């Protein structure tokens, strides 16, 4: 799994019917060293009601189809958790709500 | 899910039986942070009727064979949607309706 920050959303009316009702969000990878945004944004399917600005956990590949919402769906990146806090090497590097 | 601009197509008559009737489109990857087209191309199977100039998104690997029509193909990248709009950080960074010339690379 990897961390990312939700920064937006995508609207697509003409899409595969199995994607009907799926929430398409735009997320940007988070660098675990600095906890800053790094790299370019990508499109992911939300299964936990993540909102803009939230740090989330996502998984790719066939595992992205391992949730009830995304089983047998043409998805290769799924948000599977909203992060409350992160501790690395005994230090709290992230707490939800604290900037 | 990868995002790219459809810029062309591929015709192959002598190909795997598992690609018969597959529509093969050239997609140039777009960095949606800057909306710039990267120097990175893919051949993707079209599942939604996309055409040249469309900004599309698709899935990779086994996820590219997860629709009724694409599960029969030997595909590793399939187009599963044409993008209408993208909002980032509270701003609309892409809007299909407001695009004057989606094929501006042809100039």
């Amino acid at each position: 799994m990897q961390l990312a920050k939700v920064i937006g959303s995508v609207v697509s009316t003409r899409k595969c019917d199995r994607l009907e009702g799926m929430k398409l969000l735009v997320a940007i990878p988070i660098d675990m060293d600095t906890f800053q945004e790094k790299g370019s944004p990508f499109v992911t399917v939300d299964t936990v009601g993540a909102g803009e600005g939230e740090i989330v956990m996502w998984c790719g590949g066939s595992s992205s189809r391992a949730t009830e919402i995304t089983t047998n769906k043409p998805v290769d990146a799924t948000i599977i958790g909203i992060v409350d806090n992160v501790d690395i090497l005994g230090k709290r590097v992230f707490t939800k709500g604290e900037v | 899910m990868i995002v790219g601009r459809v810029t062309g197509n591929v015709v192959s008559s002598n190909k795997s039986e598992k690609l018969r009737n597959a529509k093969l489109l050239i997609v140039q990857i777009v960095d949606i942070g800057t909306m710039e087209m990267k120097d990175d191309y893919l051949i993707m199977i079209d599942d939604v009727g996309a055409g040249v100039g469309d900004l599309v998104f698709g899935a990779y690997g086994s996820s590219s064979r997860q629709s009724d029509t694409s599960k029969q193909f030997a595909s590793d990248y399939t187009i599963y949607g044409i993008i209408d709009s993208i909002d980032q950080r509270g701003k609309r960074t892409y809007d299909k309706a407001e695009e004057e010339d989606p094929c501006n690379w042809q100039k």
Side-chain angles (χ1 to χ4, degrees):
Chain A
M1 262 82 77
Q2 292 171 302
L3 292 187
K5 177 189 230 177
V6 176
I7 60 169
S9 59
V10 170
V11 170
S12 166
T13 42
R14 191 178 172 83
K15 58 178 179 278
C16 174
D17 44 23
R18 291 195 193 183
L19 287 175
E20 213 53 56
M22 289 263 187
K23 195 91 176 57
L24 297 171
L25 296 182
V26 177
I28 190 160
I30 289 288
D31 177 349
M32 300 276 270
D33 284 336
T34 61
F35 239 80
Q36 299 301 317
E37 296 172 8
K38 188 177 171 199
S40 17
F42 59 99
V43 175
T44 172
V45 166
D46 173 41
T47 63
V48 288
E52 196 162 326
E54 286 189 310
I55 302 291
V56 292
M57 205 166 44
W58 68 280
C59 69
S62 51
S63 319
S64 62
R65 305 198 307 274
T67 72
E68 308 79 42
I69 294 178
T70 55
T71 306
N72 298 326
K73 297 288 180 6
V75 166
D76 64 10
T78 303
I79 291 174
I80 51 171
I82 298 170
V83 176
D84 292 320
N85 47 54
V86 175
D87 298 332
I88 300 179
L89 300 174
K91 201 156 72 70
R92 173 136 302 169
V93 295
F94 171 73
T95 304
K96 186 176 164 72
E98 268 171 32
V99 178
Chain B
M1 315 278 275
I2 199 158
V3 174
R5 185 78 73 170
V6 178
T7 54
N9 68 317
V10 170
V11 174
S12 162
S13 42
N14 187 354
K15 59 175 180 259
S16 154
E17 196 45 40
K18 283 289 183 185
L19 278 177
R20 221 149 60 87
N21 301 327
K23 207 171 130 209
L24 305 169
L25 297 180
I26 302 271
V27 175
Q28 194 166 349
I29 296 177
V30 166
D31 173 347
I32 53 177
T34 58
M35 284 313 290
E36 268 158 26
M37 280 160 76
K38 286 198 221 164
D39 198 5
D40 200 353
Y41 301 79
L42 292 171
I43 297 176
M44 296 180 78
I45 288 184
D46 173 42
D47 200 54
V48 289
V52 171
D54 283 336
L55 190 71
V56 295
F57 69 90
Y60 165 66
S62 54
S63 304
S64 69
R65 298 184 299 279
Q66 295 296 323
S67 79
D68 300 333
T69 42
S70 59
K71 63 181 178 219
Q72 62 184 309
F73 293 135
S75 169
D76 65 350
Y77 271 101
T78 305
I79 294 171
Y80 283 120
I82 299 171
I83 294 178
D84 296 319
S85 63
I86 301 176
D87 292 305
Q88 289 176 76
R89 309 181 206 269
K91 284 205 317 288
R92 173 137 302 172
T93 55
Y94 171 76
D95 196 330
K96 187 176 172 64
E98 279 167 22
E99 232 180 354
E100 298 92 38
D101 178 6
C103 305
N104 49 29
W105 64 80
Q106 282 165 346
K107 284 200 185 51

